[in-house]
């Protein structure tokens, strides 16, 4: 089988407002001279051919300065999400950058605790359809309900859904085949309901839509719930900093 070409796509337009920062969370420092971006790029680059980052208009310039060497070398590209329409809008607004590849590895821009092992296993497992690394959580913020190899539903606390204790959660990573993907997003948008609280058309319910359309699902089990911990609070940031000092230096 021919080697699959993968492009990582990082939607990173959101600011760290809850953290008291006026910069995108991907640019927040974990240690002196080490931002979340550096950790993500270090874990992605062995397994993807290219990394594309979607920034806000005000974040584009600072991020280009931060990643100047990688951008100049052609390993990384950047586009701008002019209006904050959600993660799906960021991903599919950048479709021309990732459509030449066989698959995209979508990674949230604040996943500082993502492990190299998980990236390796996801990219090694993915063949077609949808591949998700999932981890059981005592109190999941997002819960994935599967049945017989299909993804039935995604519950989201941010939209008022009640997630079940011990349910499966994501780690901010999603691998999707690119063949027909943009067309499925367009089909999904035609009938998608907006979130009960955010009023947004969310990306996560698009994943069960793909399953209903017959896209095969592969689940990669993750055992460490800390991998699901993004950087949303000061406590999350402090945890990421301690983890870096313990494991990454």
């Amino acid at each position: 089988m021919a080697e699959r070409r993968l492009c990582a796509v990082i939607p990173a337009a959101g600011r760290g407002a809850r953290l008291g920062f006026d910069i995108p969370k991907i640019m927040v420092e974990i240690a002196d001279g080490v931002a979340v971006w550096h950790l993500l790029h270090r874990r992605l680059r062995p397994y993807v051919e290219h990394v594309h980052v979607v920034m806000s208009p005000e974040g584009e310039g600072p991020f280009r300065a931060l990643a100047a060497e990688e951008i100049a070398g052609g390993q990384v590209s950047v586009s701008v999400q002019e209006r904050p329409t959600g993660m799906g809008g960021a991903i599919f607004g950048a479709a021309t950058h990732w459509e030449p590849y066989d698959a995209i590895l979508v990674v949230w821009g604040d996943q500082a605790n993502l492990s190299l092992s998980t990236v390796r296993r996801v990219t090694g497992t993915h063949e077609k359809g949808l591949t998700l690394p999932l981890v059981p959580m005592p109190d999941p913020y997002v819960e994935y309900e599967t049945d017989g190899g299909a993804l039935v539903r995604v519950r989201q606390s941010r939209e008022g859904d009640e997630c079940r204790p011990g349910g499966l959660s994501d780690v901010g990573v999603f691998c999707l085949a690119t063949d027909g993907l943009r067309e499925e997003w367009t089909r999904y948008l035609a009938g998608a309901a907006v979130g009960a609280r955010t009023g947004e058309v969310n990306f996560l319910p698009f994943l069960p839509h793909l399953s209903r359309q017959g896209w095969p699902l592969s689940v990669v089990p993750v055992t460490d719930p800390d991998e699901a911990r993004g950087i949303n609070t000061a406590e999350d940031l402090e945890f990421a900093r301690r983890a870096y000092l313990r494991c990454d230096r």
Side-chain angles (χ1 to χ4, degrees):
M1 184 173 59
E3 185 176 351
R4 292 178 298 277
R5 301 179 65 218
L6 272 72
C7 177
V9 179
I10 307 179
R15 292 185 298 116
R18 280 189 288 173
L19 294 163
F21 294 115
D22 195 31
I23 57 173
K25 288 194 284 184
I26 198 171
M27 296 181 65
V28 170
E29 283 201 344
I30 298 297
D32 288 344
V34 180
V36 175
W37 157 249
H38 297 115
L39 299 185
L40 288 177
H41 188 240
R42 182 185 305 171
R43 288 157 194 173
L44 294 172
R45 66 187 178 191
Y47 304 108
V48 303
E49 186 173 325
H50 189 77
V51 179
H52 183 77
V53 183
V54 184
M55 298 300 300
S56 62
E58 60 274 15
E60 180 192 13
F63 180 77
R64 283 186 179 276
L66 180 68
E69 183 177 344
E70 294 88 354
I71 294 170
Q75 307 148 8
V76 175
S77 56
V78 184
S79 63
V80 174
Q81 185 182 25
E82 295 291 347
R83 294 184 299 108
T85 56
M87 295 297 192
I91 295 163
F92 288 94
T96 56
H97 294 273
W98 51 255
E99 280 185 315
Y101 297 87
D102 299 312
I104 57 171
L105 189 72
V106 176
V107 183
W108 296 157
D110 66 345
Q111 295 300 129
N113 300 298
L114 175 65
S115 74
L116 192 70
S117 171
T118 292
V119 177
R120 180 179 66 248
R121 290 191 298 127
V122 170
T123 55
T125 296
H126 182 80
E127 293 185 359
K128 57 184 178 179
L130 170 65
T131 302
L132 295 178
L134 297 177
V135 60
M137 298 285 288
D139 185 21
Y141 185 68
V142 176
E143 184 198 355
Y144 292 72
E145 182 180 342
T146 62
D147 182 24
L151 181 58
V152 177
R153 180 181 176 188
V154 180
R155 296 181 173 89
Q156 300 181 88
S157 297
R158 69 195 292 258
E159 297 293 7
D161 298 333
E162 185 174 344
C163 297
R164 299 169 297 182
L168 294 173
S169 187
D170 65 68
V171 298
V173 176
F174 318 85
C175 195
L176 303 92
T178 57
D179 186 22
L181 184 61
R182 181 152 55 160
E183 292 77 9
E184 285 295 352
W185 176 253
T186 301
R187 185 178 295 117
Y188 169 71
L189 284 182
V194 299
R197 290 182 176 172
T198 65
E200 297 176 355
V201 176
N202 291 311
F203 172 72
L204 297 184
F206 173 58
L207 304 179
H209 164 86
L210 291 177
S211 197
R212 289 192 294 271
Q213 299 305 310
W215 283 47
L217 169 69
S218 297
V219 172
V220 174
V222 176
T223 57
D224 185 357
D226 287 340
E227 287 202 53
R229 190 169 184 172
I231 298 179
N232 295 298
T233 65
E235 291 76 17
D236 292 335
L237 179 56
E238 181 57 30
F239 177 88
R241 286 172 170 165
R242 290 198 307 269
Y244 172 79
L245 292 174
R246 185 172 64 249
C247 302
D248 283 88
R249 292 190 71 176

